[in-house]
Amino acid sequence: MTVATLSVPLRAASLPALAGRVQVPAYDPRGLRTGIVHFGVGAFHRSHQAMYLDRLLNLGAAHDWAICGVGVLPGDARVRDALRAQDHLYTLLTRAPNGHSEARVIGAVHDYLFAPDDPEAVCERLAHPATRVVSLTVTEGGYSLNNATGEFDPGGDVLHDLQPGAAPRSTLGFLTEGLRRRRERGLRPFTVMSCDNIQGNGHVTRRVLTAFARRRDPELADWIDREVAFPNSMVDRITPVTTDAVRADLEREYGVQDACPVVAEAFTQWVLEDHFTCGRPPLEDVGVQLVPDVEPYELMKLRLLNAAHQAMSYPALLDGHTFVHEVCQQPDYAQFLLDYMTFEARPTLRPVPGIDLDAYSHDLIARFSNPAIQDTLARLIVDGSERIPKFLLPVAREQAARLQAGQGGDLRRCALVVAAWSAYVAQAATRGDRLDDVRAADLTHAALADQVTPGAFLHQPDVFGDLSAAPAFVQAYLDARAALATHGPLGALRALHAATQGEHA
């Protein structure tokens, strides 16, 4: 790669000067029209969905399918400011395990609305006839879903939005108001397309949105349930947090000054249910898999990739590690993850069309081991109380049911992860470290109680539901807790693998 000698600020006017250094749009970003409104324009959305739209635009298609981003959280003001200063352009830097990197300017996000600035502008953009798809990456915690019951459980801004006459603050509030206006004006509803890591994300979005709307207007809720499409999807691309080092690398290697670049692995996948209310862009032309049933792919990704992220993080953090690739390059941790996938997660999956699950499992270890990504364990455990119940505990629950029925099964690795989670939370409390979790106070109380009464950590109904009453899981948790105390994280992993080898010899 030629090192650039003079850096150029990223703007629409600077694209000709950057064309010899990075890939730039083959279209004019200023000539685009909104077809998609997206809530949650974080790094993942910009490395994934917006990238696929950029591919389409570079083919000369979909100029009326550009993205208008929407931010509803106070922290989204930083995204607003950075994108506006750069004419809504940003750079996607992809890094392969062999060290090869590519930089590409994305222009598919052609507008951005910060909802606290002007809620009415967001509502009208949603109600505009040109808006045909509204997509979401609002994280697992953005759906007001009770992990134990699977039902709508409003709080915070969502609860505010349920008050009569309240101006929307939450994603659910904005979606409902946008659909209300379209119904009132005789317009077809937009499709609501969740791209979050939730099993049955389309079904879940339908459930919580209609439940929200029903508390405001039962007839509107019936119309939404009857008329709106909620396609399920599976999205995959490891996208770590952008750091100052990434911005510095981009400027040094490519000569691009970018306040909000995104770095991601080279691998990307999007499996999408082909069910839309009023049209969609031709995503199949740029590698999106349009299928009638997403669930097999979705469960594969949630229970293998996402659960493995949780499975590695807590033992490795207790062991003093920081980066994902360092952990997965260690044979003991790699074997632990492969054993989790082989003996616990994969037996709960349906066949996945076109996928060899054994090869997929080994490919995940290779992807996790990519040193160029510099992904951190700290990123993976943000809001662990939302992620573990959706990724890991469904595996434990199915395996516990098999053991209870005398059908065989294994959940020891799931239990070890939960035991390491409890130990990590207690350690953080002892050290005075901040726990980045929406349930930080409850987790800390339960983890400290667990130090006095082993098993107390499981007595969190909103996290564990009925799993805390499953004898096989409770005993495996207590055993794992004792193993961690006696042997430490690495010793506990090794002991479990040795026991597994003996059982399958």
Side-chain angles (χ1 to χ4, degrees), residues 238-289:
I238 296 173
T239 307
V241 173
T242 298
T243 63
D244 288 339
V246 170
R247 284 181 274 269
D249 288 347
L250 183 65
E251 185 170 359
R252 183 181 65 255
E253 297 174 13
Y254 294 96
V256 181
Q257 295 178 27
D258 187 344
C260 56
V262 181
V263 63
E265 65 173 337
F267 178 90
T268 182
Q269 186 178 22
W270 188 2
V271 184
L272 180 61
E273 183 182 5
D274 196 0
H275 178 46
F276 288 78
T277 305
C278 51
R280 62 166 176 80
L283 295 167
E284 64 273 24
D285 292 348
V286 288
V288 179
Q289 295 170 256

Side-chain angles (χ1 to χ4, degrees), residues 66 85 119 143 147 160 175 203 260 290 316 319 333 360 363 488:
Y143 290 78
N147 288 320
H160 163 272
L175 289 173
H203 300 318
C260 56
L290 277 298
D319 211 16
Y333 280 97
Y360 181 85
D363 286 345

